[in-house]
Amino acid sequence: MIIILKSDATPQEQEQLITQIESAGLQAHLSEGTFRTILGIIGDESLVDADQLRAAPGVADVVPVLPPYKLASRDAHPQSSIVDVAGVKFGGGHLAFIAGPCAVEEPERMASIAKSVKAAGAHILRGGAYKPRTSPYSYQGQGLEGLKLLRAIGDEFGLPVVSEVTDPRNVDQLVEYVDMLQIGARNMQNFVLLTEVGQTKTPVLMKRGMSATLTDLLMCAEYVLSQGNPNVVLCERGIKSFDSSTRNLYDVAAVPAIQQLSHLPIIVDPSHATGRPELIPPCALAGIAAGADGVHIEVHDKPSEAMSDGPQALLPEQYAELAEQMRQLASLLNKQVPVTEGVS
Ligand code: PEP
Ligand code: MN
């Protein structure tokens, strides 16, 4: 951490700062320039509070040297992490596909969608049992019944399952039924929920909040990691923009940018990022080209009857064609994509 002193800081203010730093068990290194004096803090900077120092007399600014997300940062963990979801790996050269309807649907429809995404080569089945809707009048999901159904269909087709947890009181219930807990964009900064999820060992799919910076996203991952759950997969799903041409603004640059900052895997969700089926395949491929560790896509066999997000669903045949292209691109980039039965 570096403290930049005001040009009119007095010798007493300087002394006071050095005493404060040393009494925290750290060393202070004074460097006097022609116009400005700076104090470098040597040691574990978490032992001092940057905001308190910023408010101290004689201080112009305080610049932390390390990122505030210590556990999520690549500095702390130079090697890319691999997150294993019931045998399906994300990160460190492994790429996996998540597919399924937005909401858990009725049993026959779930079975038909699961069968088709499995045949297309998807590795994990998705479906929301608890839907965080912008409107309280929109479909809210089947709750526990939906979770049971998702689990049963996943087991029937040999697919691990992911579903969103919206309420800290439901974490124990979801952990019983799913292989991966999704934290939705609307809940990314629900710190009580993050703390609760961090106390499990279940892998977490953490979606970027719609107006979250990359630092915000990594600080939320830090909440989960700091509770002892190391299994976090980040997800770029688009951010708010002034342009309504797409549902959100797909920030594909977030993928390599996150990979510079953090060792955690990051996947892309071009379904929620674009909201437009015709844009999903090129944006999914762009995500893989940018280095994504996985791709999350909503698929439905009757979008006009979907309980939620029908307009952005890919049809099973469109998904199958895209999955083939994704595998080809991944292989060109030397990424490992597990081959499932039915895919040559
Ligand atoms: C979803 O995955 O269906 C969903 C609600 O996603 P997001 O939180 O990214 O909007
Ligand atoms: Mn959705």
Short mmCIF file of all heavy atoms in Angstrom, two decimals, residues 90-91 93-96 250 252 255-256 259 265-269 283-295 330 333 335:
data_model
loop_
_atom_site.label_atom_id
_atom_site.label_comp_id
_atom_site.label_asym_id
_atom_site.label_seq_id
_atom_site.Cartn_x
_atom_site.Cartn_y
_atom_site.Cartn_z
N PHE A 90 -14.52 -27.37 -15.23
CA PHE A 90 -14.44 -26.03 -15.82
C PHE A 90 -13.08 -25.45 -15.45
O PHE A 90 -12.67 -25.51 -14.29
CB PHE A 90 -15.49 -25.10 -15.19
CG PHE A 90 -16.93 -25.44 -15.52
CD1 PHE A 90 -17.63 -26.35 -14.73
CD2 PHE A 90 -17.57 -24.84 -16.60
CE1 PHE A 90 -18.94 -26.66 -15.02
CE2 PHE A 90 -18.89 -25.15 -16.89
CZ PHE A 90 -19.59 -26.06 -16.10
N GLY A 91 -12.40 -24.84 -16.45
CA GLY A 91 -11.16 -24.12 -16.16
C GLY A 91 -9.92 -24.96 -16.36
O GLY A 91 -10.00 -26.19 -16.50
N GLY A 93 -8.05 -25.26 -18.94
CA GLY A 93 -8.04 -25.98 -20.22
C GLY A 93 -9.26 -26.86 -20.44
O GLY A 93 -9.41 -27.47 -21.49
N HIS A 94 -10.14 -26.94 -19.45
CA HIS A 94 -11.37 -27.74 -19.59
C HIS A 94 -12.54 -26.81 -19.87
O HIS A 94 -12.72 -25.80 -19.20
CB HIS A 94 -11.68 -28.52 -18.31
CG HIS A 94 -10.60 -29.47 -17.93
ND1 HIS A 94 -10.56 -30.78 -18.36
CD2 HIS A 94 -9.49 -29.29 -17.17
CE1 HIS A 94 -9.48 -31.36 -17.88
NE2 HIS A 94 -8.82 -30.49 -17.15
N LEU A 95 -13.35 -27.21 -20.84
CA LEU A 95 -14.50 -26.40 -21.24
C LEU A 95 -15.75 -27.27 -21.16
O LEU A 95 -15.71 -28.44 -21.55
CB LEU A 95 -14.25 -26.01 -22.70
CG LEU A 95 -14.76 -24.71 -23.23
CD1 LEU A 95 -13.77 -24.18 -24.24
CD2 LEU A 95 -16.09 -24.87 -23.87
N ALA A 96 -16.82 -26.74 -20.59
CA ALA A 96 -18.04 -27.56 -20.45
C ALA A 96 -19.26 -26.76 -20.86
O ALA A 96 -19.27 -25.52 -20.81
CB ALA A 96 -18.17 -28.05 -19.01
N TYR A 250 -23.36 -7.68 -24.23
CA TYR A 250 -22.48 -8.84 -24.03
C TYR A 250 -21.04 -8.34 -23.91
O TYR A 250 -20.48 -7.83 -24.88
CB TYR A 250 -22.64 -9.76 -25.23
CG TYR A 250 -21.86 -11.05 -25.20
CD1 TYR A 250 -21.67 -11.78 -24.04
CD2 TYR A 250 -21.35 -11.57 -26.39
CE1 TYR A 250 -20.98 -12.98 -24.06
CE2 TYR A 250 -20.67 -12.77 -26.42
CZ TYR A 250 -20.48 -13.47 -25.25
OH TYR A 250 -19.81 -14.66 -25.27
N VAL A 252 -17.77 -9.43 -23.92
CA VAL A 252 -16.91 -10.59 -24.16
C VAL A 252 -15.48 -10.33 -23.66
O VAL A 252 -14.76 -11.26 -23.27
CB VAL A 252 -16.98 -11.03 -25.64
CG1 VAL A 252 -16.14 -10.15 -26.52
CG2 VAL A 252 -16.62 -12.48 -25.82
N VAL A 255 -14.09 -11.77 -20.34
CA VAL A 255 -13.53 -13.13 -20.19
C VAL A 255 -12.00 -13.07 -20.04
O VAL A 255 -11.47 -13.48 -18.99
CB VAL A 255 -13.99 -14.06 -21.34
CG1 VAL A 255 -13.26 -15.39 -21.29
CG2 VAL A 255 -15.49 -14.24 -21.30
N PRO A 256 -11.29 -12.55 -21.04
CA PRO A 256 -9.82 -12.49 -20.83
C PRO A 256 -9.44 -11.51 -19.72
O PRO A 256 -8.41 -11.71 -19.05
CB PRO A 256 -9.28 -12.05 -22.20
CG PRO A 256 -10.44 -11.44 -22.91
CD PRO A 256 -11.67 -12.12 -22.39
N GLN A 259 -9.66 -13.38 -16.59
CA GLN A 259 -8.60 -14.39 -16.50
C GLN A 259 -7.24 -13.78 -16.15
O GLN A 259 -6.38 -14.46 -15.61
CB GLN A 259 -8.54 -15.20 -17.80
CG GLN A 259 -9.73 -16.16 -17.86
CD GLN A 259 -9.90 -16.81 -19.21
OE1 GLN A 259 -9.42 -16.29 -20.22
NE2 GLN A 259 -10.59 -17.94 -19.26
N PRO A 265 -12.46 -20.08 -12.97
CA PRO A 265 -13.00 -20.27 -14.32
C PRO A 265 -14.08 -19.23 -14.61
O PRO A 265 -14.78 -18.79 -13.69
CB PRO A 265 -13.63 -21.67 -14.28
CG PRO A 265 -13.15 -22.31 -13.04
CD PRO A 265 -12.75 -21.22 -12.09
N ILE A 266 -14.21 -18.87 -15.88
CA ILE A 266 -15.31 -17.97 -16.28
C ILE A 266 -15.96 -18.51 -17.54
O ILE A 266 -15.28 -18.89 -18.49
CB ILE A 266 -14.83 -16.51 -16.46
CG1 ILE A 266 -16.01 -15.65 -17.01
CG2 ILE A 266 -13.59 -16.38 -17.34
CD1 ILE A 266 -15.88 -14.17 -16.80
N ILE A 267 -17.30 -18.58 -17.50
CA ILE A 267 -18.04 -19.06 -18.66
C ILE A 267 -18.89 -17.91 -19.22
O ILE A 267 -19.00 -16.86 -18.57
CB ILE A 267 -18.94 -20.28 -18.32
CG1 ILE A 267 -20.11 -19.88 -17.43
CG2 ILE A 267 -18.11 -21.37 -17.65
CD1 ILE A 267 -21.17 -20.99 -17.32
N VAL A 268 -19.47 -18.13 -20.40
CA VAL A 268 -20.33 -17.09 -20.98
C VAL A 268 -21.77 -17.61 -21.11
O VAL A 268 -22.00 -18.81 -21.27
CB VAL A 268 -19.82 -16.62 -22.36
CG1 VAL A 268 -18.55 -15.83 -22.22
CG2 VAL A 268 -19.64 -17.79 -23.34
N ASP A 269 -22.70 -16.67 -21.03
CA ASP A 269 -24.12 -16.97 -21.19
C ASP A 269 -24.67 -16.03 -22.26
O ASP A 269 -25.19 -14.95 -21.96
CB ASP A 269 -24.84 -16.74 -19.84
CG ASP A 269 -26.36 -16.79 -19.96
OD1 ASP A 269 -26.88 -16.95 -21.09
OD2 ASP A 269 -27.03 -16.64 -18.92
N CYS A 283 -22.21 -15.38 -30.74
CA CYS A 283 -21.68 -14.86 -29.46
C CYS A 283 -21.13 -15.98 -28.57
O CYS A 283 -20.19 -15.76 -27.80
CB CYS A 283 -22.76 -14.05 -28.74
SG CYS A 283 -23.08 -12.49 -29.59
N ALA A 284 -21.71 -17.17 -28.69
CA ALA A 284 -21.16 -18.31 -27.94
C ALA A 284 -19.76 -18.62 -28.46
O ALA A 284 -18.81 -18.82 -27.67
CB ALA A 284 -22.07 -19.54 -28.12
N LEU A 285 -19.61 -18.62 -29.78
CA LEU A 285 -18.30 -18.92 -30.38
C LEU A 285 -17.29 -17.82 -30.02
O LEU A 285 -16.12 -18.11 -29.74
CB LEU A 285 -18.43 -19.08 -31.90
CG LEU A 285 -19.28 -20.29 -32.32
CD1 LEU A 285 -19.62 -20.24 -33.81
CD2 LEU A 285 -18.57 -21.61 -31.99
N ALA A 286 -17.77 -16.57 -30.00
CA ALA A 286 -16.87 -15.46 -29.63
C ALA A 286 -16.38 -15.65 -28.19
O ALA A 286 -15.22 -15.37 -27.87
CB ALA A 286 -17.60 -14.13 -29.77
N GLY A 287 -17.27 -16.14 -27.33
CA GLY A 287 -16.89 -16.38 -25.93
C GLY A 287 -15.80 -17.43 -25.85
O GLY A 287 -14.81 -17.26 -25.11
N ILE A 288 -15.95 -18.50 -26.61
CA ILE A 288 -14.91 -19.56 -26.59
C ILE A 288 -13.61 -19.01 -27.17
O ILE A 288 -12.53 -19.23 -26.62
CB ILE A 288 -15.40 -20.81 -27.37
CG1 ILE A 288 -16.59 -21.43 -26.65
CG2 ILE A 288 -14.26 -21.82 -27.53
CD1 ILE A 288 -17.19 -22.64 -27.32
N ALA A 289 -13.73 -18.24 -28.27
CA ALA A 289 -12.52 -17.66 -28.88
C ALA A 289 -11.82 -16.73 -27.89
O ALA A 289 -10.60 -16.63 -27.88
CB ALA A 289 -12.89 -16.91 -30.15
N ALA A 290 -12.61 -16.08 -27.03
CA ALA A 290 -12.02 -15.16 -26.04
C ALA A 290 -11.44 -15.91 -24.85
O ALA A 290 -10.84 -15.30 -23.97
CB ALA A 290 -13.08 -14.16 -25.58
N GLY A 291 -11.65 -17.22 -24.80
CA GLY A 291 -11.02 -18.01 -23.74
C GLY A 291 -11.96 -18.55 -22.68
O GLY A 291 -11.51 -19.04 -21.64
N ALA A 292 -13.28 -18.46 -22.92
CA ALA A 292 -14.24 -18.92 -21.90
C ALA A 292 -14.02 -20.39 -21.56
O ALA A 292 -13.63 -21.19 -22.40
CB ALA A 292 -15.67 -18.71 -22.39
N ASP A 293 -14.31 -20.72 -20.30
CA ASP A 293 -14.15 -22.08 -19.80
C ASP A 293 -15.45 -22.87 -19.88
O ASP A 293 -15.52 -23.99 -19.36
CB ASP A 293 -13.68 -22.03 -18.33
CG ASP A 293 -12.37 -21.27 -18.19
OD1 ASP A 293 -11.39 -21.71 -18.81
OD2 ASP A 293 -12.34 -20.25 -17.50
N GLY A 294 -16.46 -22.29 -20.49
CA GLY A 294 -17.74 -22.99 -20.63
C GLY A 294 -18.76 -22.08 -21.27
O GLY A 294 -18.54 -20.86 -21.40
N VAL A 295 -19.86 -22.68 -21.70
CA VAL A 295 -20.93 -21.91 -22.35
C VAL A 295 -22.27 -22.38 -21.80
O VAL A 295 -22.55 -23.58 -21.74
CB VAL A 295 -20.89 -22.09 -23.90
CG1 VAL A 295 -22.00 -21.27 -24.55
CG2 VAL A 295 -19.54 -21.68 -24.46
N ALA A 330 -13.21 -25.32 -29.88
CA ALA A 330 -12.47 -25.65 -28.66
C ALA A 330 -11.27 -26.52 -29.00
O ALA A 330 -10.17 -26.33 -28.45
CB ALA A 330 -13.39 -26.36 -27.67
N LEU A 333 -8.44 -24.66 -30.27
CA LEU A 333 -7.77 -23.90 -29.21
C LEU A 333 -7.15 -24.82 -28.15
O LEU A 333 -6.72 -24.35 -27.09
CB LEU A 333 -8.78 -22.94 -28.55
CG LEU A 333 -9.37 -21.88 -29.47
CD1 LEU A 333 -10.52 -21.15 -28.80
CD2 LEU A 333 -8.30 -20.89 -29.93
N LYS A 335 -8.56 -26.91 -26.18
CA LYS A 335 -9.35 -27.01 -24.94
C LYS A 335 -9.99 -28.39 -24.92
O LYS A 335 -10.40 -28.90 -25.96
CB LYS A 335 -10.46 -25.96 -24.91
CG LYS A 335 -9.96 -24.54 -24.81
CD LYS A 335 -9.70 -24.16 -23.38
CE LYS A 335 -9.33 -22.72 -23.21
NZ LYS A 335 -10.31 -21.89 -22.60
#
